[in-house]
Amino acid sequence: GSLEALDEPSRAAVPAAGERRYGLSAGLELAADLRDWAPYPRAGSFGTVEARRFVAFDDSDLSFNRYSGSYIVYVPVDGRTTVIVRGVGAITRSDDGDGDGLSDAIPYFYLPTLDDRVAVAFKQERLSGRDIVAFGAGLRVPVVDLLGVYGIDALLMGYIGNAYDDVFEQFKPAISFREQAVADADGRAALRPALGLGLGIINLDKERVVVGGLLGVGPGGITVATLRIAYDLRDARPLFR
């Protein structure tokens, strides 16, 4: 009885999960890095745009194009305190011959997913669709400094976003805190909120995160979005000489 508990799009995706699919994906990505210090930015920005083409080599004759981009801005406030603003989006269209690129079905495992790999506060594998949109803003603040050698920073990031079959037709300028991402009677879906809470131990000499982690909290539940340990033994130094 598990199939009966699924919604219609999920039931339609079940047969595709058992199929063998293969093809070729190729694209071009352009990036502009204007951050003052990439390992631990306090000012500047980083943006990417990408165009990608997929062609299936199986019997499905599937082909589609994807266009995506992201941009993040760091605004210094005072010392290590920094305001962070981010936006990300992707649009996917298939070659269906009728001009709108929406008629041909695309298996869910080829679709972009709005999760912690795209916007860190969203739960993994939670929201998939042809199009995704997310916006985020937050603040990174120092909590304590340890002898001027290491510091602890806190990060608070708020996100809103969702996944759509057609973002131009289904986007709804509202926020929904319901657990299930359900469209309204007009087929429009509100943005889903997510909150990211993180802590990081900073090497103040090298200005980079040594140990860091971030939890994502939203209607889909709680997830460990990131966990990073990056320590170079060459950074060690005596506290007293």
Side-chain angles (χ1 to χ4, degrees):
S2 58
L3 289 179
E4 286 73 13
L6 299 176
D7 55 26
E8 187 60 35
S10 298
R11 281 196 295 269
V14 170
E19 298 178 1
R20 287 191 174 184
R21 296 293 189 102
Y22 49 92
L24 175 67
S25 179
L28 177 67
E29 181 183 38
L30 300 177
D33 190 349
L34 302 177
R35 295 171 293 180
D36 56 348
W37 181 243
Y40 188 77
R42 299 182 188 178
S45 63
F46 180 77
T48 65
V49 292
E50 181 185 85
R52 183 167 291 275
R53 171 75 172 173
F54 175 84
V55 178
F57 293 154
D58 48 44
D59 296 333
S60 65
D61 295 326
L62 176 67
S63 60
F64 59 83
N65 299 317
R66 176 170 300 141
Y67 310 96
S68 60
S70 66
Y71 198 71
I72 186 168
V73 178
Y74 300 89
V75 181
V77 178
D78 181 31
R80 298 205 312 271
T81 302
T82 305
V83 173
I84 303 172
V85 180
R86 184 167 188 242
V88 60
I91 295 175
T92 307
R93 294 294 180 267
S94 56
D95 297 338
D96 54 15
D98 62 5
D100 63 2
L102 299 171
S103 299
D104 287 351
I106 301 177
Y108 71 91
F109 42 77
Y110 288 149
L111 298 177
T113 301
L114 180 59
D115 61 8
D116 58 332
R117 292 166 294 184
V118 177
V120 293
F122 287 93
K123 194 170 184 179
Q124 189 172 12
E125 305 293 353
R126 181 73 177 92
L127 301 167
S128 295
R130 292 175 183 258
D131 307 338
I132 59 172
V133 174
F135 306 95
L139 187 67
R140 187 183 65 204
V141 297
V143 177
V144 65
D145 287 352
L146 305 174
L147 300 175
V149 181
Y150 291 97
I152 298 178
D153 283 5
L155 175 66
L156 174 65
M157 285 288 295
Y159 280 93
I160 52 174
N162 210 339
Y164 304 89
D165 285 332
D166 184 355
V167 65
F168 303 104
E169 296 291 335
Q170 298 174 332
F171 176 81
K172 183 178 181 179
I175 300 176
S176 173
F177 291 87
R178 297 177 59 186
E179 182 177 356
Q180 299 296 328
V182 180
D184 60 19
D186 296 329
R188 296 183 177 273
L191 296 167
R192 311 288 292 164
L195 183 65
L197 304 170
L199 284 175
I201 299 176
I202 314 300
N203 183 320
L204 299 178
D205 278 347
K206 303 295 183 179
E207 291 191 312
R208 66 184 179 209
V209 178
V210 177
V211 180
L214 188 141
L215 290 177
V217 183
I222 300 176
T223 182
V224 178
T226 63
L227 180 61
R228 178 172 61 177
I229 300 175
Y231 188 78
D232 190 337
L233 293 177
R234 293 173 297 179
D235 293 344
R237 72 174 191 181
L239 297 181
F240 304 97
R241 297 173 185 238

